[in-house]
Amino acid sequence: HSSARDGSACGTDPASEACLGSVYQEFASHDMAFAEFTERGNAFDDEAVETVLAKIDAHARNQGVVVIVFVHGWKHNASGQDENVRSFKDAMQTMTAILGDTFAESELGKRRLIGVYVGWRGASIEVPLLKELTWDRKAVAEELGSGGITRLLLDLDRITASEARNVLVVVGHSFGGAIVVRALADVLTERVTNRMEDERARMFGDGVLVLNPAIEANQALPVVEAALQRPYASSQLPLFISISTDADWATHYAFP
């Protein structure tokens, strides 16, 4: 995406370049934000990320927000033509309908739905045979999980935690799942280790979900070991959910 900040054109002309080139797109029913990172783990445009955070913060303090963060996987990026971008936009439309139909009369239905698509160069290799190699992108994913994406997620957690009504869910797929695990492993380890007096661990947002995460088990081991140290309060909600299927190529063969 370009460094354009004003995505207000999306409300009247959603197919326009002024809308689709913006890092923060304000549609009639929901918002779409994009945060893009280099292979070194830093943002392509720090000011663009700050714009995204400022707009989400304003909504969080006003009517409240439901923020869904998605970190894409291997062979994808933040291009408007990318299959993951299209799928995420479709998912946001579906969630808009759910919030509008099922929760229209509730407080949840009044909150602004915001999708945050975290982009990285998961599809930067163009040589046909090399496109099928995972190790280059795996190294990049590990680098990203130790950089600016951690800060982005912590900023979003801070913003949404300012009001109990706000909702934040973080989702990572494939190598995006690896990035999420790497980015939040230390944070989650600290929260399950230093639990509150009632033995509840403080959530990161309202939950972290990884789908077919392309990681070795030992990368999540510190979190798992800390989490199993002692019982939890009966009211404890899941902090971290990992879902895998053997129908996924990367996790079935490269990271079984």
Side-chain angles (χ1 to χ4, degrees), residues 86-192:
R86 292 178 173 181
S87 295
F88 188 51
K89 287 186 173 182
D90 289 343
M92 294 301 293
Q93 290 284 4
T94 300
M95 289 194 64
T96 299
I98 292 172
L99 289 173
D101 295 341
T102 308
F103 299 98
E105 303 303 320
S106 71
E107 289 299 315
L108 182 62
K110 299 175 184 177
R111 297 164 193 165
R112 187 64 175 172
L113 176 63
I114 304 173
V116 180
Y117 186 97
V118 177
W120 59 286
R121 289 180 174 172
S124 66
I125 300 177
E126 296 301 329
V127 181
L129 290 177
L130 292 182
K131 275 188 174 182
E132 304 308 318
L133 297 178
T134 63
W135 301 109
D136 173 80
R137 297 301 91 189
K138 178 179 184 294
V140 171
E142 291 179 351
E143 184 83 13
L144 279 158
S146 303
I149 292 180
T150 303
R151 179 184 170 190
L152 172 68
L153 297 179
L154 287 170
D155 280 337
L156 289 171
D157 184 47
R158 170 182 53 79
I159 289 170
T160 54
S162 63
E163 298 278 354
R165 64 187 176 182
N166 295 325
V167 177
L168 169 66
V169 177
V170 179
V171 182
H173 172 248
S174 184
F175 282 129
I179 291 171
V180 169
V181 171
R182 184 70 174 262
L184 296 181
D186 289 346
V187 177
L188 292 172
T189 299
E190 186 277 329
R191 293 190 179 185
V192 298

Side-chain angles (χ1 to χ4, degrees), residues 57-87:
D57 188 37
H59 283 300
R61 295 176 184 277
N62 186 12
Q63 78 268 46
V65 292
V66 175
V67 179
I68 310 298
V69 182
F70 177 72
V71 186
H72 68 77
W74 184 35
K75 296 186 180 181
H76 295 281
N77 54 38
S79 163
Q81 304 305 312
D82 186 89
E83 182 183 349
N84 270 191
V85 173
R86 292 178 173 181
S87 295

Side-chain angles (χ1 to χ4, degrees), residues 34-50 119 144 147-149 151-152:
F34 292 85
E36 299 181 64
F37 294 84
T38 72
E39 297 190 354
R40 294 287 186 179
N42 56 299
F44 271 108
D45 186 334
D46 288 327
E47 290 186 8
V49 174
E50 290 302 319
L144 279 158
I149 292 180
R151 179 184 170 190
L152 172 68

Side-chain angles (χ1 to χ4, degrees), residues 134-135 138 175 213-216 219 249-256:
T134 63
W135 301 109
K138 178 179 184 294
F175 282 129
I215 59 171
E216 296 90 349
Q219 289 184 254
W249 187 92
T251 52
H252 187 58
Y253 294 102
F255 305 95

